[in-house]
Amino acid sequence: MNIIFLDKPAHPFFADKLGELGHEITHATDWSRARILAEISDFDALMVRSGVRIDQELLLAGQPKLKTVARWGVGLEHIDLEAAEKLGISIYNSPEGSMHAVAEHTVGMMLMLMNHLGRAERQLRQGEWLRRPNTGVELRGKTVGLIGYGNMGKQTAKRLVGFGCEVIAHDKFLSDYGDNYAKAVSLAELQARAQVVSLHIYAEGNYHYANKEWFESFKYPIWFINTARGIVCDTASLVGAIESGRVIGAALDVHEHESMSFTEVDMDKLPESFRYLVQSNQVVLTPHIAGWSEEAEEGHARVLIQKMFV
């Protein structure tokens, strides 16, 4: 099999294993779009992360030989899935590779948010020793609602049970998904009971899922965590929910205004709503790193090899 790498894999295991299996690799991370379109038909498969859009034009240019797309990572929003299906192209991604990292990061953000760890750390560095104003709220005993109960949601639930939480989950794409770690519930029940809410859903079909009406539908003020995709949360609606007290605090690893490849946020061009989050002591922000760990980098490689060739 001839495989073209349009993005650089983050761990050498993938390329090394492909070589052991007798596959030929071409590295094209510096190729122009024009060159990719001109030469893609020489390859049986391509490997991509999030930096290159795999649209209908590119998939058609690869025919009749191109039949496999390996997506190193989770989201598929930059791949034209409908065109791939029509052309008989198999799409493989690797959410299992980073599910543990995302789960740990999610719980870490909950603890950081509810115990004011970021704020207290910043204050202390500025010479302020403030104890009572930084009194935390325990995760133990809270009802945590998970929106989406795939790989990331399940691993997050496993960890939360260890903290003594009651975990409930809603997933509109699944049935019979309750287990020993989370009870499956309707969205209405989750919104009536949850005190902490964490998103674990794909971008596809979920643009601005968390909007004004969604935030207003919760019975209790909530702590809100998003380690899924930035565009599933309407930033302006989140700001409104914080200001109204519907959201006690928010922890965001992903951001609506990220670049397509998630490599940057242009701070000079951000709307006022995002600037509000940056300046708020009720908000914890990280730069889309929940799925990044030393173990996850190799994990993605192993998952793709398993799915593609075993």
Side-chain angles (χ1 to χ4, degrees), residues 17-93:
K17 191 65 176 180
L18 289 175
E20 290 176 15
L21 293 171
H23 301 292
E24 185 175 328
I25 299 169
T26 297
H27 295 274
T29 56
D30 60 345
W31 286 18
S32 66
R33 170 80 177 188
R35 184 179 178 186
I36 293 171
L37 291 174
E39 300 188 35
I40 193 69
S41 61
D42 294 334
F43 300 93
D44 304 286
L46 67 83
M47 192 287 296
V48 68
R49 300 186 70 175
S50 58
V52 179
R53 190 173 298 282
I54 309 302
D55 55 18
Q56 179 175 278
E57 181 186 31
L58 190 150
L59 295 174
L60 283 171
Q63 298 312 300
K65 193 173 184 180
L66 181 69
K67 291 302 175 185
T68 301
V69 174
R71 171 17 177 156
W72 181 294
V74 182
L76 301 172
E77 58 266 34
H78 60 305
I79 301 173
D80 190 331
L81 300 178
E82 183 177 348
E85 183 177 5
K86 289 180 179 178
L87 294 168
I89 297 173
S90 299
I91 308 292
Y92 300 100
N93 64 341

Side-chain angles (χ1 to χ4, degrees), residues 226 229-231 235 252-259 262 265 274 277 284-288:
N226 186 11
R229 281 291 186 262
I231 63 171
T235 306
L252 309 173
D253 178 58
V254 290
H255 312 283
E256 185 177 5
H257 307 289
E258 292 177 81
S259 63
F262 315 124
V265 171
F274 191 88
L277 298 179
V284 170
L285 303 171
T286 52
H288 204 134

Side-chain angles (χ1 to χ4, degrees), residues 108-141:
M109 293 192 92
M110 291 180 185
L111 296 171
M112 188 173 181
L113 182 65
M114 297 170 70
N115 290 282
H116 313 300
L117 301 184
R119 182 175 73 194
E121 196 267 352
R122 290 191 299 272
Q123 290 170 341
L124 186 57
R125 287 181 181 274
Q126 295 169 2
E128 299 178 83
W129 186 275
L130 301 176
R131 298 180 68 200
R132 182 60 62 187
N134 286 311
T135 300
V137 176
E138 294 180 7
L139 189 54
R140 178 185 62 88

Side-chain angles (χ1 to χ4, degrees), residues 3 5 11-25 301-302 304-306 309-310:
I3 304 174
F5 283 16
H11 196 279
F13 177 87
F14 190 58
D16 292 346
K17 191 65 176 180
L18 289 175
E20 290 176 15
L21 293 171
H23 301 292
E24 185 175 328
I25 299 169
R302 290 186 177 277
L304 285 175
I305 292 294
Q306 179 74 21
F309 302 110
V310 178

Side-chain angles (χ1 to χ4, degrees), residues 2-308:
N2 292 326
I3 304 174
I4 183 171
F5 283 16
L6 300 183
D7 272 325
K8 183 178 180 180
H11 196 279
F13 177 87
F14 190 58
D16 292 346
K17 191 65 176 180
L18 289 175
E20 290 176 15
L21 293 171
H23 301 292
E24 185 175 328
I25 299 169
T26 297
H27 295 274
T29 56
D30 60 345
W31 286 18
S32 66
R33 170 80 177 188
R35 184 179 178 186
I36 293 171
L37 291 174
E39 300 188 35
I40 193 69
S41 61
D42 294 334
F43 300 93
D44 304 286
L46 67 83
M47 192 287 296
V48 68
R49 300 186 70 175
S50 58
V52 179
R53 190 173 298 282
I54 309 302
D55 55 18
Q56 179 175 278
E57 181 186 31
L58 190 150
L59 295 174
L60 283 171
Q63 298 312 300
K65 193 173 184 180
L66 181 69
K67 291 302 175 185
T68 301
V69 174
R71 171 17 177 156
W72 181 294
V74 182
L76 301 172
E77 58 266 34
H78 60 305
I79 301 173
D80 190 331
L81 300 178
E82 183 177 348
E85 183 177 5
K86 289 180 179 178
L87 294 168
I89 297 173
S90 299
I91 308 292
Y92 300 100
N93 64 341
S94 54
E96 301 89 345
S98 58
M99 60 186 181
H100 298 293
V102 171
E104 291 187 12
H105 194 96
T106 299
V107 176
M109 293 192 92
M110 291 180 185
L111 296 171
M112 188 173 181
L113 182 65
M114 297 170 70
N115 290 282
H116 313 300
L117 301 184
R119 182 175 73 194
E121 196 267 352
R122 290 191 299 272
Q123 290 170 341
L124 186 57
R125 287 181 181 274
Q126 295 169 2
E128 299 178 83
W129 186 275
L130 301 176
R131 298 180 68 200
R132 182 60 62 187
N134 286 311
T135 300
V137 176
E138 294 180 7
L139 189 54
R140 178 185 62 88
K142 297 297 181 293
T143 298
V144 181
L146 305 179
I147 305 291
Y149 203 60
N151 293 292
M152 315 304 179
K154 288 178 181 178
Q155 293 300 325
T156 301
K158 288 182 180 181
R159 288 155 176 80
L160 290 170
V161 167
F163 279 87
C165 298
E166 178 186 6
V167 185
I168 56 179
H170 172 69
D171 195 313
K172 63 184 180 181
F173 296 109
L174 299 177
S175 59
D176 301 322
Y177 55 91
D179 56 24
N180 292 332
Y181 305 102
K183 176 186 176 183
V185 300
S186 66
L187 178 59
E189 181 176 347
L190 187 146
Q191 291 179 318
R193 298 180 55 201
Q195 298 160 288
V196 182
V197 179
S198 183
L199 299 185
H200 300 278
I201 54 180
Y202 285 110
E204 296 86 0
N206 287 310
Y207 178 74
H208 281 185
Y209 174 88
N211 55 28
K212 184 176 185 291
E213 180 182 5
W214 187 85
F215 284 115
E216 291 177 349
S217 296
F218 284 89
K219 179 178 179 180
Y220 304 110
I222 62 170
W223 285 272
F224 174 74
I225 295 88
N226 186 11
T227 56
R229 281 291 186 262
I231 63 171
V232 305
C233 176
D234 176 22
T235 306
S237 293
L238 173 59
V239 169
I242 294 172
E243 291 180 326
S244 69
R246 303 297 303 176
V247 169
I248 303 167
L252 309 173
D253 178 58
V254 290
H255 312 283
E256 185 177 5
H257 307 289
E258 292 177 81
S259 63
M260 187 191 83
S261 61
F262 315 124
T263 56
E264 63 181 350
V265 171
D266 190 339
M267 300 298 285
D268 294 329
K269 297 181 181 179
L270 292 174
E272 193 60 35
S273 58
F274 191 88
R275 294 182 184 278
Y276 176 96
L277 298 179
V278 170
Q279 297 167 4
S280 175
N281 276 326
Q282 293 172 260
V283 177
V284 170
L285 303 171
T286 52
H288 204 134
I289 56 171
W292 285 32
S293 70
E294 295 294 335
E295 296 83 355
E297 297 306 319
E298 183 174 344
H300 284 301
R302 290 186 177 277
V303 167
L304 285 175
I305 292 294
Q306 179 74 21
K307 288 183 177 181
M308 293 171 67

